[in-house]
Amino acid sequence: MSRYLLKRILMMVLTLWIIVTLTFSLMHMIPGDPFASESDQLPEQILLNLRAKYNLDEPLPMQYLLYLKSLVMLDLGPSIKSETRGVNDMIKDGFGASALIGLQAIAVALFFGLLFGTIAALNRNTWIDYTAMVMAVLGIAVPSFIMAPLLINYLAIKWPLFPVATLTSWKHSVLPSLALAFGPLAIITRYMRTSMIDVMNQNYIRTAEAKGIPTFLIVIKHGIRNAILPIVTFMGPLIAGLLTGTFVVEKIFAVPGIGKYFVDGIFNRDYPVILGTTVFYSAILVLIIFLIDLAYMFIDPRIKLSSRGR
Amino acid sequence: MAVDQSVNELFRPRAQKADGQIAQMRPSLTHFQQVTRKLVRNKLAMVGLTLIVLLIAMAIIGPHLVPYSYSDQSLLNANQKISSEHWFGTDELGRDMFSRTWYGARISLIIGISAALIDLVIGVTVGGIAGYMAGRGKKGDRIDTIIMRLIEVLYGLPYLLVVIMLMVVMEPGIVTIIIALSATGWVGMARLVRGQILQLKNQEFIMAAQVLGAKFPRILLRHLIPNTIGVIIVNLTFTIPSAIFAESFLSFLGLGVQAPIASWGTMTNDALGVILTGDWWRLFFPALMISLTMFAFNVFGDGLQDALDPRIRE
């Protein structure tokens, strides 16, 4: 097992390196330049100096090595567009807000998704099931950029329960979290229903019923544990995505998170920001996918991921 | 021997039946026949199928039912409510919403369905191979590792960069959109299928198949995938609407369909402002169509899942 763990950790570093390398190449292959908007206004010499400041005058392989060198020391470099703040500061300042909203959204989506999905599966083809299904369809068909203004209109303006814009108290985080939670909630409900129906038809559930165990306990002890696997799989990219913020919801609710850097960095061709946000997101993603592979074995001991070890 | 005699009395040879009677009992059905029979009996699934057929039919004939084309502007008639002139109202440029909605259906349905099909083929194959190979010797582990790390790389790469790159290389249009969506779209399906197969492959029925000498492709196609069909179908029903919305995002960036052409995604996007102005029909119809499409594929998918599930027998 320890050998497997060690191997996976090395693999994670390797994966991150490949992502950085590919992003670096892609980023320099696309047309555009960080100083494209200033190039007509500034004199030639200033532009050259600016390029020199950010090592952009070096040949690409050199720039790449310089970046890797600072990355190893966990320095994500300066932001070209913001003169005072480096990429590390941007992430440090914004990650808390993004992560708070993301975590709350995940908690809401997971709890209610599992609950609704299980209830729908146990009451299959009744009005309860159909209600859950219609909700799931709406949750997907109404994207967050429509859900967010609707939430603001009804829960903040017409019926002022929660404040909107910025993030100065916990109350401010409720609406953005809800707006983010609807989509995943619907998806989790749907997966849980399907997978629970499948599990409840298995022989071991019949055995448990024959032993006289109450339905509630069967669902808790045998049903959920066997049915939750697709949701665990789905949670990986979801957690990584929500923790690192979302562009649309943070924009609508004016949350000071890091979601905007992922998009702005690319539009501004702010190379260190593109690489920094990618590394940060990928590191979280790779780590969570690793934890999820471990969780597979914990949830279902029948699962064996490596031939050696265990 | 009294005992033997009584036993012999209890067991009498059964009268011979006329030939052909056994054959009459139940005609043997192929797998496909069984599936279609179960599917046709499922009323809700048939409602879904009818809706899908209707939506596709309207996408074909809808724009021809009204005398306006999807791009005819008439600023005097901007933001008209629903009327006998304009069945779905008009948008901010006075374009007929009925015509635009069904014209948009063509684009959105083609994109949604092709993205789902590509996800299905690539995702299920790759995920199936990775899941089956994991834990199956050194070579198997290596195959699983390589596939899963490739998936992580595709997840990690900034999607926008990939899209801009595609913009540089290719011309905007439906084909480019479908490529942009499926380039990274299949990874979700692959991970899902792998997870399910990891859980299934150590169960008794797979062992039985292996003992009987079944080879890998047969085990994957006949035993593992049919037992994974539930989550595959749920994933597909989600791919369709998310592809429809992703298209609007790509169109917004300039990679998607060009301006006068309508799609449900771009129509929804354009109509965001109506929450303030109250011209609800501009948001309602494209959103309704996306919801109807989702609903139709959902209930049809549910029925298909029941029909394909090897454990549920009549």
Side-chain angles (χ1 to χ4, degrees), chain B residues 109-127 154 170 174-190 193 232 235-237 239-240 243:
Chain B
L109 288 176
I110 289 175
I111 289 173
I113 294 172
S114 355
L117 286 180
I118 295 175
D119 272 18
L120 177 74
V121 175
I122 303 183
V124 171
T125 315
V126 173
L154 283 178
M170 295 198 298
I174 292 189
V175 178
T176 314
I177 296 175
I178 293 172
I179 291 175
L181 290 177
S182 25
T184 55
W186 59 272
V187 292
M189 178 70 97
V193 170
I232 292 178
N235 184 288
L236 285 182
T237 55
T239 308
I240 294 171

Side-chain angles (χ1 to χ4, degrees), chain B residues 280-302:
Chain B
W280 57 269
W281 57 90
R282 287 186 46 208
L283 182 59
F284 178 75
F285 289 108
L288 174 75
M289 294 311 156
I290 295 175
S291 307
L292 271 182
T293 309
M294 255 209 82
F295 175 77
F297 277 102
N298 256 296
V299 289
F300 180 66
D302 251 25

Side-chain angles (χ1 to χ4, degrees), chain A residues 124 190 193 198 300 302, chain B residues 199 202 298 302 306 311:
Chain A
R124 193 177 183 195
R190 210 53 195 78
R193 174 183 176 274
D198 199 35
D300 192 333
R302 282 173 304 195
Chain B
Q199 195 179 26
N202 290 323
N298 256 296
D302 251 25
D306 286 352
R311 265 187 302 272

Side-chain angles (χ1 to χ4, degrees), chain B residues 156-187:
Chain B
L157 281 184
Y159 184 59
L160 258 178
L161 269 189
V162 178
V163 166
I164 295 175
M165 192 67 219
L166 279 173
M167 264 161 97
V168 176
V169 183
M170 295 198 298
E171 284 178 13
I174 292 189
V175 178
T176 314
I177 296 175
I178 293 172
I179 291 175
L181 290 177
S182 25
T184 55
W186 59 272
V187 292

Side-chain angles (χ1 to χ4, degrees), chain A residues 60-80:
Chain A
L60 278 183
M62 195 62 209
Q63 288 186 36
Y64 173 65
L65 289 178
L66 282 172
Y67 187 79
L68 282 189
K69 196 181 138 202
S70 72
L71 190 61
V72 170
M73 293 186 282
L74 297 179
D75 178 10
L76 297 175
S79 156
I80 297 179

Side-chain angles (χ1 to χ4, degrees), chain A residues 3 42 52 65 97 105 107 116 150 158 163 222 231 250 259-260 267 295:
Chain A
R3 204 189 158 121
L42 295 175
L65 289 178
F116 293 161
L150 286 179
K158 292 209 167 139
H222 304 283
I231 289 153
E250 287 186 4
K260 60 175 173 292
F267 278 114

